[in-house]
Amino acid sequence: MARRHRLIRVSPSAVWDVLADGHRYADWVVGTSQSEPVRGTWPHRDAAIRFQVPLGPLRLVNETVVRHCEEGVTLELEAHAGVLGTARIAIELREWGEHCLVIVDEHPLRGAGGTLHNVGFDALIQLRHRTMLARLARLCEHPETDGPDESAARGTRGAPHLVAVDRDGSGAERPGHA
């Protein structure tokens, strides 16, 4: 069982706002792209998000389903990963002073992931969680630098936003190369 935590320097409600936005799932979940709610009202029980996993020229389409939700506190998901099976991912938010302690607990439930599960597999999940929690922290602590509107305008998620300033000194910004 892979369990990891991170202190995010915003309130639990600010972290929950990101988790509760089904369109932002791919912004913080490692290995996914282009998420969208497809069933129910995310993040309520039995709601689902469809996401893509890019593998070279291929794109696998998978789904994550909410199995338990205690608004602002706990979100438990079942992530479907095709032939690898499914995994339980529990995210707990704890008030920690004026900040939020986020605890992620993941383990395989069904399929090849459960059969192949071992200490080495847990180590890989730990690395994934470290990156995932860093992304979540960035989205929560610096929402102005990578919000959903900016990501959509760029056409990518998480890529650096480059701005060119006119040479005439007007300071007018336009997307482009710096």
Side-chain angles (χ1 to χ4, degrees):
M1 178 166 50
R3 187 171 167 94
R4 188 160 199 89
H5 66 276
R6 180 172 178 139
L7 184 67
I8 298 181
R9 289 173 168 75
V10 296
S11 68
S13 65
V15 176
W16 185 259
D17 287 346
V18 173
L19 296 177
D21 184 345
H23 294 282
R24 301 198 70 192
Y25 183 84
D27 288 340
W28 57 273
V29 176
V30 175
T32 64
S33 67
Q34 299 182 8
S35 61
E36 64 179 344
V38 291
R39 254 190 341 271
T41 304
W42 186 267
H44 296 110
R45 186 173 182 206
D46 295 327
I49 284 180
R50 180 179 301 129
F51 61 91
Q52 293 184 17
V53 177
L55 292 172
L58 302 174
R59 294 209 179 271
L60 303 176
V61 177
N62 287 310
E63 186 174 276
T64 294
V65 179
V66 177
R67 294 299 182 206
H68 176 78
C69 175
E70 189 176 336
E71 190 170 335
V73 179
T74 306
L75 182 60
E76 293 187 29
L77 308 171
E78 184 173 349
H80 298 261
V83 296
L84 293 178
T86 66
R88 172 192 173 266
I89 304 163
I91 303 167
E92 179 184 350
L93 307 182
R94 291 187 189 169
E95 189 174 321
W96 201 261
E98 58 191 37
H99 303 302
C100 181
L101 181 63
V102 180
I103 303 164
V104 179
D105 176 5
E106 179 176 349
H107 64 268
L109 288 175
R110 296 175 247 209
T115 304
L116 301 173
H117 187 234
N118 59 37
V119 175
F121 192 68
D122 273 350
L124 291 174
I125 293 173
Q126 286 286 347
L127 292 172
R128 181 175 172 264
H129 285 176
R130 181 184 309 166
T131 303
M132 182 177 80
L133 288 169
R135 286 181 180 183
L136 183 60
R138 185 188 73 240
L139 290 169
C140 296
E141 294 172 352
H142 307 287
E144 70 284 352
T145 60
D146 204 22
D149 295 336
E150 187 175 313
S151 293
R154 287 195 311 258
T156 62
R157 298 185 181 275
H161 178 64
L162 299 176
V163 173
V165 178
D166 287 344
R167 290 187 184 261
D168 67 2
S170 68
E173 294 183 354
R174 65 182 190 283
H177 301 284

